[in-house]
Structure formats: structure tokens, C-alpha cells
């Protein structure tokens, strides 16, 4: 029996439905850390801000304090990394993307969002995925009821669990509404433009 089959059998033994695992994934209870480049260190959040711009009527900039005054929600759900680990029942707290679309007055011309993080990291997501129906799309500041660890995105990361986890940009500073799709950092480096784990859209051409 191979590793992936053993991993699925273990889930069954633990009473967890193995169909929660997308194709080619295995579960872990650890929380691996993955990113390009270094982890930003913030001595204070006094100079931190969050900017919303692009195809909107009223671009805006929020301080950390202003950001934290917005209504937040908590969700518990599974996450799936393109490097094949999945983690079940992770709990996050943050402000829904829809809040910012409303505050800034997103134009009908917007089709996608581009997330901009520290050190130039970017990630692209279709707007319907970020706003539609029962989809979860948060700007998250807590994991497991505690503020984010520096290596997991402190103070703020995007959280979009229905796509591979590379779309969930850590250390996010700007939300841009754009017209037409553009590749972000990993998408320019060979990852799929969309990244649906259930379709195994890992790389270009998948
Ligand atoms: N700013 C930034 N965010 C990023 C990345 C990155 O390189 N830079 N990598 C992504 C990738 S590839 C993954 S799998 C997840 C990993 O999140 P974690 O380290 O909290 O597990 O972060 C995503 N967010
Ligand atoms: Mo990743």
C-alpha cells in the first residue's frame, strides 16, 4: 500500500470522510510554512495600512486600527496546498472581501482581484470566486483564535480555501480590483491561473 492510500485509510479509521481530500492530496496535522523570500518583521503596526484601489468609485486606505473596527467573521474549513498537503478544520477570523467591495464601490468593469503583499508578492483571483455565494474569501488576522504567526502572514493574509493555498496571500497590504485576468507571482512561475484543487489545476496546462 502506498503513502496516499495509507493516509486515506487513516482518515477512515479516525471517522473522517476521505472524500474531503481532493485528488492527489494527503492530510497533515502540522501546519507547514511555504513562501518565496523572507518573512516581514513589524515592530509596530503604526505605519501599516491597507489600500483598496483599481476599478472602484472611491479608493480607500485604512490604518490597522480602522481595519480592526470592521465586522469580522470566523470560519472553520479545510485548506489544500499545491505541494499536496491538506489540513482539515482550520479556524480563521477576518473581514470578508465583500466588505471592501462595498466600501470602495466596485465598478461593473472589474472582473478579477489582484492581491499585493509585502516584497512585491501578488496573487490573482476571479471576482466571482472572491464574492460569490457561499464561498469564503476573507482578509484574515487570526488563526485558531490567536493572532497570525509571523511566518503565516502576520498581521493580515488573504484566505480563500476553495482554491489552492498559494492564492491566500500572506502579509497582504493592497486589494486591487482589475479588468481582465493577470498572472500573479506564482502564476508567472508556472502555476495555474485558477488553481481548483478538485480539478487538480496545479500547473499551466493542467
Ligand atoms: N506573500 C506571500 N504569500 C504567500 C506565498 C508567498 O510566497 N508570499 N506563498 C503562498 C503559498 S505557495 C502557500 S502554499 C501558502 C502557504 O501558507 P502557510 O505558510 O501559512 O502554510 O502561502 C501563500 N501565500
Ligand atoms: Mo504553495
Amino acid at each position: 500500500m502506498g503513502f496516499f492510500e495509507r493516509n486515506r485509510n487513516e482518515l477512515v479509521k479516525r471517522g473522517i470522510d476521505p472524500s474531503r481530500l481532493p485528488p492527489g492530496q494527503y492530510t497533515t496535522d502540522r501546519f507547514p510554512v511555504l513562501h518565496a523570500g523572507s518573512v516581514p518583521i513589524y515592530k509596530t503596526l503604526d505605519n501599516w495600512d491597507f489600500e483598496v484601489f483599481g476599478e472602484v468609485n472611491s479608493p480607500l486606505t485604512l490604518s490597522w486600527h480602522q481595519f480592526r473596527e470592521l465586522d469580522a467573521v470566523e470560519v472553520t474549513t479545510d485548506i489544500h496546498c499545491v505541494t499536496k498537503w491538506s489540513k482539515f478544520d482550520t479556524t480563521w477570523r477576518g473581514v470578508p472581501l465583500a466588505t471592501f467591495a462595498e466600501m470602495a464601490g466596485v465598478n461593473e468593469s472589474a472582473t478579477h482581484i489582484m492581491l499585493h503583499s509585502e516584497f512585491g508578492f501578488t496573487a490573482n483571483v476571479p471576482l466571482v470566486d472572491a464574492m460569490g455565494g457561499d464561498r469564503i474569501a476573507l482578509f484574515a488576522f487570526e488563526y485558531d483564535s490567536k493572532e497570525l504567526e509571523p511566518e503565516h502572514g502576520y498581521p493580515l493574509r488573504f484566505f480563500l480555501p476553495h482554491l489552492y493555498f498559494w492564492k491566500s496571500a500572506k502579509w497582504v497590504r493592497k486589494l486591487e480590483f482589475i479588468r481582465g485576468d493577470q498572472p500573479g507571482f506564482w502564476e508567472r512561475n508556472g502555476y495555474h491561473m485558477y488553481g481548483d484543487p478538485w480539478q487538480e489545476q496545479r500547473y499551466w496546462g493542467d
Side-chain angles (χ1 to χ4, degrees):
M1 203 192 326
F3 170 77
F4 285 87
E5 207 186 331
R6 268 206 312 280
N7 187 264
R8 274 173 199 260
N9 290 348
E10 251 166 57
L11 283 179
V12 176
K13 262 194 247 157
R14 288 163 62 188
I16 300 169
D17 179 2
S19 71
R20 282 166 66 180
L21 214 44
Q25 297 290 114
Y26 68 90
T27 46
T28 179
D29 293 325
R30 299 184 311 116
F31 194 174
V33 171
L34 282 134
H35 53 261
S38 44
V39 175
I41 303 298
Y42 301 91
K43 290 204 183 91
T44 150
L45 296 179
D46 288 351
N47 300 318
W48 185 97
D49 59 14
F50 182 69
E51 206 179 314
V52 183
F53 69 109
E55 306 284 318
V56 297
N57 291 323
S58 347
L60 56 97
T61 304
L62 301 174
S63 67
W64 178 249
H65 180 74
Q66 290 170 321
F67 188 96
R68 291 293 275 100
E69 305 240 288
L70 301 172
D71 286 338
V73 298
E74 190 169 83
V75 299
T76 297
T77 191
D78 304 343
I79 56 179
H80 311 291
C81 174
V82 71
T83 60
K84 303 204 164 181
W85 57 268
S86 292
K87 187 169 170 61
F88 286 174
D89 298 318
T90 64
T91 300
W92 304 80
R93 187 174 179 77
V95 180
L97 177 120
T99 301
F100 303 102
E102 202 170 295
M103 282 173 80
V106 63
N107 292 329
E108 275 180 27
S109 53
T111 62
H112 290 73
I113 59 168
M114 186 68 83
L115 302 150
H116 298 261
S117 297
E118 302 289 357
F119 311 133
F121 181 85
T122 51
N124 57 307
V125 176
L127 196 51
V128 288
D129 280 82
M131 306 262 298
D134 51 7
R135 257 90 184 256
I136 298 165
L138 299 182
F139 288 89
F141 50 83
E142 272 180 19
Y143 169 73
D144 213 8
S145 305
K146 292 179 282 292
E147 75 181 16
L148 297 177
E149 301 283 343
E151 62 271 28
H152 287 299
Y154 174 89
L156 190 71
R157 80 179 297 166
F158 192 52
F159 180 66
L160 188 80
H162 73 280
L163 299 183
Y164 281 125
F165 210 38
W166 86 75
K167 299 286 185 183
S168 294
K170 302 193 275 193
W171 314 298
V172 68
R173 292 291 300 271
K174 295 179 195 181
L175 162 62
E176 182 183 14
F177 289 91
I178 60 176
R179 180 199 300 244
D181 203 3
Q182 293 281 332
F185 175 85
W186 286 113
E187 294 77 11
R188 283 196 301 273
N189 285 280
Y191 283 17
H192 198 277
M193 283 294 272
Y194 184 57
D196 180 354
W198 298 97
Q199 305 293 325
E200 257 199 292
Q201 294 171 338
R202 298 176 193 275
Y203 308 106
W204 285 355
D206 281 352

